[in-house]
Amino acid sequence: MHFLITGASGTLGRFIASRLSNDGHELTLMGRTPPAQAGTGFQEWDLSDTSVSLPVADALVHCAFSHVPGKYRGGEGDDPHGFIARNAEGTVRLFEAAKSAGIRHCVFLSSRAVYSDTGNWAVLTENAETRPDTLYGQVKLVCEQALESLCDDGFCGTSLRATGIYGCPPGQSVHKWSDLFEAFVEGRKIAPRLGTEVHGDDLADAVALVLEKRPGEGTDYEVYNVSDLLLDRQDLLKLYAGVKGMTANLPGRGAGPVGVMEPGKLKVLGWAPGGMTRLKAFLETLS
């Protein structure tokens, strides 16, 4: 099949493009510069483009997001209006262009940030309240709603609400915890934290799965949670210290409560994330 992918040079997009390419699909990567990935097509495109024309394809996977480097929540910096224009308005234009081009399925990489701050260990199913308290979450929710509004018998939409993504993206040696592990090895003070995580390969599995399963279901629009581990930074660093054969002062336990995402809908389709086994295997690659 032929898939268009935006943001394929970013952290999430690299995992997804690599997986779909390895599965033998034809890919056209959309962005500002030609990709380094061999065997893929390229179309120049930017979220700021006011006119979007897309080639014929079976599906579009939209991963691109414009933000301050290193930040998602708070990624608007001192330009919230530009942040909204690029990410919300630019995404809506992209979805509309996909439908006009006859593309039948659009997969949107959304975020757990669309949920309200529960503060009570709530289990967050896809039906949980969406009342985001950040501009990032608000923009993601607006994009979800725009995609749903476009869906009909000929155009299918899927939003994947992903939690934090760990792992080294294909072609890169740095990852989301690189600075954290460096600070830990150097003995610097580490702030406690508790959060939810999923490996980038498991996210890519989720994308591949919905691309395979959803078009034949006859449902116009669906939302899926993508989350695997509830992970305390103390436990993560204890595992890392064991892999490195080092002793170090661990941070305290992260303050709860947090909302725990339930990916049961995705598991019904056959999704099976790697859990602690995959986390430990990843850490061992860093030794």
Side-chain angles (χ1 to χ4, degrees):
M1 299 181 77
H2 179 204
F3 300 136
L4 311 181
I5 305 179
T6 72
S9 61
T11 298
L12 308 187
R14 284 174 180 265
F15 284 109
I16 294 165
S18 177
R19 167 59 192 270
L20 296 179
S21 178
N22 290 339
D23 285 350
H25 297 293
E26 178 186 355
L27 303 183
T28 296
L29 309 185
M30 299 172 57
R32 287 172 291 188
T33 57
Q37 185 171 338
T40 59
F42 173 70
Q43 175 164 324
E44 188 172 354
W45 168 84
D46 187 87
L47 276 164
S48 299
D49 290 347
T50 56
S51 178
V52 182
S53 178
L54 300 182
V56 176
D58 295 290
L60 165 71
V61 181
H62 181 36
C63 307
F65 197 80
S66 176
H67 57 94
V68 174
K71 289 187 177 182
Y72 289 93
R73 302 189 191 204
E76 67 273 15
D78 58 0
D79 184 22
H81 295 293
F83 182 84
I84 293 170
R86 292 187 299 274
N87 292 303
E89 297 172 17
T91 291
V92 172
R93 285 192 295 268
L94 180 69
F95 291 162
E96 291 172 342
K99 184 172 182 176
S100 296
I103 294 171
R104 295 186 59 83
H105 189 186
C106 179
V107 177
F108 172 56
L109 265 293
S110 188
S111 168
R112 71 161 286 149
V114 302
Y115 294 117
S116 57
D117 183 9
T118 59
N120 60 0
W121 296 112
V123 176
L124 301 175
T125 68
E126 291 83 355
N127 293 324
E129 182 180 23
T130 51
R131 194 177 61 195
D133 58 2
T134 63
L135 188 56
Y136 170 67
Q138 292 166 11
V139 165
K140 286 291 189 180
L141 185 58
V142 165
C143 294
E144 285 190 16
Q145 293 166 342
L147 178 58
E148 182 177 13
S149 71
L150 289 169
C151 290
D152 55 25
D153 291 342
F155 185 67
C156 171
T158 302
S159 290
L160 295 177
R161 293 175 178 167
T163 186
I165 309 298
Y166 77 92
C168 287
Q172 294 190 334
S173 59
V174 297
H175 54 90
K176 68 177 293 181
W177 295 324
S178 292
D179 291 341
L180 172 67
F181 290 165
E182 180 181 352
F184 181 59
V185 170
E186 293 176 354
R188 286 183 264 154
K189 185 176 180 179
I190 305 294
R193 185 182 183 278
L194 177 67
T196 51
E197 303 287 347
V198 68
H199 193 283
D201 286 338
D202 287 321
L203 172 65
D205 287 348
V207 172
L209 191 61
V210 297
L211 286 169
E212 174 189 354
K213 299 281 188 179
R214 284 236 46 233
E217 289 185 348
T219 303
D220 295 336
Y221 180 74
E222 285 286 354
V223 176
Y224 297 92
N225 283 341
V226 188
S227 185
D228 186 16
L229 298 171
L230 178 64
L231 185 63
D232 194 291
R233 185 172 280 178
Q234 182 187 98
D235 297 326
L236 171 64
L237 293 175
K238 185 176 181 180
L239 287 172
Y240 182 70
V243 168
K244 298 288 287 184
M246 59 180 283
T247 57
N249 292 325
L250 296 171
R253 304 298 291 180
V258 298
V260 181
M261 296 173 71
E262 170 53 58
K265 279 182 62 178
L266 197 54
K267 289 181 178 179
V268 168
L269 294 184
W271 189 63
M276 290 299 294
T277 299
R278 176 158 268 172
L279 173 62
K280 292 174 182 177
F282 165 66
L283 295 177
E284 288 170 358
T285 67
L286 306 178
S287 62

Coordinates of all heavy atoms in Angstrom, one line a residue, residues 11-12 15 72 109-110 161-169 175-177 196-204 226-227:
T11 N 10.9 12.5 16.1 CA 11.0 11.3 16.9 C 10.0 10.2 16.6 O 10.3 9.1 16.4 CB 10.9 11.7 18.4 OG1 12.0 12.6 18.7 CG2 11.1 10.5 19.3
L12 N 8.7 10.6 16.7 CA 7.6 9.7 16.4 C 7.6 9.2 15.0 O 7.5 8.0 14.7 CB 6.3 10.3 16.8 CG 6.1 11.0 18.1 CD1 4.6 11.4 18.3 CD2 6.5 10.0 19.2
F15 N 10.1 6.3 14.0 CA 9.6 4.9 14.4 C 8.6 4.4 13.4 O 8.7 3.3 12.9 CB 9.0 4.9 15.8 CG 10.0 5.0 16.9 CD1 10.1 6.2 17.7 CD2 10.8 3.9 17.2 CE1 11.0 6.2 18.7 CE2 11.7 4.0 18.3 CZ 11.8 5.2 19.0
Y72 N 6.7 20.0 24.1 CA 5.4 19.8 23.5 C 4.4 20.7 24.3 O 3.9 21.7 23.8 CB 5.0 18.3 23.5 CG 5.8 17.5 22.5 CD1 6.9 16.9 22.9 CD2 5.4 17.4 21.2 CE1 7.7 16.1 21.9 CE2 6.1 16.7 20.2 CZ 7.3 16.1 20.6 OH 8.0 15.3 19.7
L109 N -1.7 11.5 14.9 CA -1.0 11.3 16.2 C -1.4 12.4 17.2 O -0.9 13.5 17.2 CB 0.5 11.3 16.0 CG 1.2 9.9 15.8 CD1 1.1 9.1 17.0 CD2 0.5 9.2 14.6
S110 N -2.3 12.1 18.1 CA -2.8 13.0 19.1 C -2.0 12.7 20.4 O -0.9 12.2 20.3 CB -4.3 12.8 19.3 OG -4.8 13.8 20.1
R161 N -4.2 8.6 20.7 CA -3.8 9.4 21.9 C -2.6 8.8 22.6 O -2.8 7.9 23.4 CB -5.0 9.6 22.8 CG -6.1 10.4 22.2 CD -7.3 10.5 23.1 NE -8.4 11.4 22.5 CZ -9.6 11.4 22.9 NH1 -10.0 10.7 23.9 NH2 -10.5 12.2 22.3
A162 N -1.4 9.2 22.2 CA -0.2 8.6 22.7 C 0.3 9.3 24.0 O 0.2 10.5 24.1 CB 0.9 8.6 21.6
T163 N 0.9 8.5 24.8 CA 1.5 9.0 26.0 C 3.0 9.3 25.7 O 3.3 9.4 24.5 CB 1.4 8.0 27.2 OG1 1.9 8.5 28.3 CG2 2.1 6.7 26.8
G164 N 3.8 9.5 26.7 CA 5.2 9.7 26.5 C 5.9 8.6 25.7 O 5.6 7.4 26.0
I165 N 6.8 8.9 24.8 CA 7.4 7.9 23.9 C 8.9 7.8 24.3 O 9.6 8.8 24.3 CB 7.3 8.3 22.4 CG1 5.8 8.7 22.1 CG2 7.8 7.2 21.5 CD1 4.9 7.5 22.2
Y166 N 9.3 6.6 24.6 CA 10.8 6.4 24.8 C 11.4 5.5 23.8 O 10.7 4.9 22.9 CB 11.0 5.8 26.3 CG 10.6 4.3 26.4 CD1 11.7 3.4 26.2 CD2 9.4 3.9 26.7 CE1 11.4 2.0 26.4 CE2 9.1 2.6 26.9 CZ 10.1 1.6 26.7 OH 9.8 0.3 26.9
G167 N 12.7 5.3 23.8 CA 13.4 4.5 22.8 C 14.2 5.4 21.9 O 13.9 6.6 21.7
C168 N 15.3 4.9 21.3 CA 16.1 5.6 20.3 C 15.4 5.5 19.0 O 15.3 4.4 18.4 CB 17.5 5.0 20.2 SG 18.5 5.3 21.7
P169 N 15.0 6.6 18.4 CA 14.4 6.6 17.0 C 15.4 6.0 16.0 O 16.6 6.3 16.2 CB 14.1 8.1 16.8 CG 14.1 8.7 18.1 CD 15.1 8.0 18.9
H175 N 17.9 10.0 22.9 CA 16.5 9.7 23.2 C 16.0 10.6 24.3 O 16.8 11.4 24.8 CB 16.4 8.2 23.6 CG 17.3 7.8 24.7 ND1 17.0 7.9 26.1 CD2 18.6 7.4 24.7 CE1 18.0 7.5 26.8 NE2 19.0 7.2 26.1
K176 N 14.8 10.4 24.7 CA 14.1 11.4 25.6 C 14.8 11.4 27.0 O 14.7 12.4 27.8 CB 12.6 11.1 25.8 CG 12.3 9.8 26.5 CD 10.8 9.6 26.7 CE 10.2 10.6 27.6 NZ 8.8 10.4 27.8
W177 N 15.5 10.3 27.4 CA 16.1 10.2 28.7 C 17.6 10.4 28.7 O 18.3 10.2 29.7 CB 15.8 8.8 29.3 CG 14.4 8.6 29.7 CD1 13.5 9.6 30.1 CD2 13.6 7.4 29.6 NE1 12.2 9.0 30.3 CE2 12.3 7.7 30.0 CE3 14.0 6.1 29.2 CZ2 11.3 6.7 30.0 CZ3 13.0 5.1 29.3 CH2 11.7 5.4 29.7
T196 N 3.4 8.1 32.5 CA 3.1 6.9 31.6 C 4.0 7.0 30.4 O 4.3 8.0 29.9 CB 1.6 6.9 31.2 OG1 1.2 8.2 30.7 CG2 0.7 6.6 32.4
E197 N 4.3 5.8 29.9 CA 5.3 5.7 28.8 C 4.9 4.5 27.9 O 4.2 3.6 28.3 CB 6.7 5.4 29.3 CG 7.2 6.4 30.3 CD 7.6 7.7 29.7 OE1 7.7 7.8 28.4 OE2 7.8 8.7 30.4
V198 N 5.4 4.6 26.6 CA 5.2 3.6 25.7 C 6.5 3.6 24.7 O 7.0 4.7 24.4 CB 3.9 3.7 24.8 CG1 3.9 4.9 23.9 CG2 3.7 2.4 24.0
H199 N 7.0 2.5 24.3 CA 8.1 2.5 23.4 C 7.7 2.9 22.0 O 6.6 2.6 21.6 CB 8.8 1.1 23.4 CG 10.1 1.0 22.7 ND1 10.3 1.1 21.4 CD2 11.3 0.9 23.3 CE1 11.6 1.1 21.1 NE2 12.3 1.0 22.2
G200 N 8.6 3.6 21.3 CA 8.3 4.1 20.0 C 7.9 2.9 19.0 O 7.1 3.1 18.1
D201 N 8.5 1.8 19.2 CA 8.2 0.6 18.3 C 6.8 0.1 18.6 O 6.1 -0.3 17.7 CB 9.2 -0.5 18.6 CG 10.5 -0.3 17.9 OD1 10.6 0.6 17.0 OD2 11.5 -0.9 18.4
D202 N 6.3 0.2 19.9 CA 4.9 -0.1 20.2 C 4.0 0.9 19.6 O 2.9 0.5 19.1 CB 4.7 -0.2 21.7 CG 5.4 -1.4 22.3 OD1 5.4 -2.5 21.6 OD2 6.0 -1.3 23.4
L203 N 4.3 2.2 19.6 CA 3.5 3.1 18.9 C 3.4 2.8 17.4 O 2.3 2.9 16.8 CB 4.1 4.5 19.1 CG 3.4 5.7 18.2 CD1 2.0 5.9 18.7 CD2 4.2 7.0 18.4
A204 N 4.5 2.5 16.8 CA 4.6 2.1 15.3 C 3.7 0.9 15.1 O 3.0 0.8 14.1 CB 6.0 1.9 14.9
V226 N -2.9 4.9 23.4 CA -1.6 4.2 23.2 C -0.7 4.5 24.4 O 0.0 5.5 24.5 CB -0.9 4.7 21.9 CG1 0.3 3.8 21.6 CG2 -1.9 4.7 20.7
S227 N -0.7 3.5 25.3 CA 0.0 3.7 26.6 C 0.4 2.3 27.1 O -0.4 1.4 26.9 CB -0.7 4.5 27.6 OG 0.0 4.7 28.8

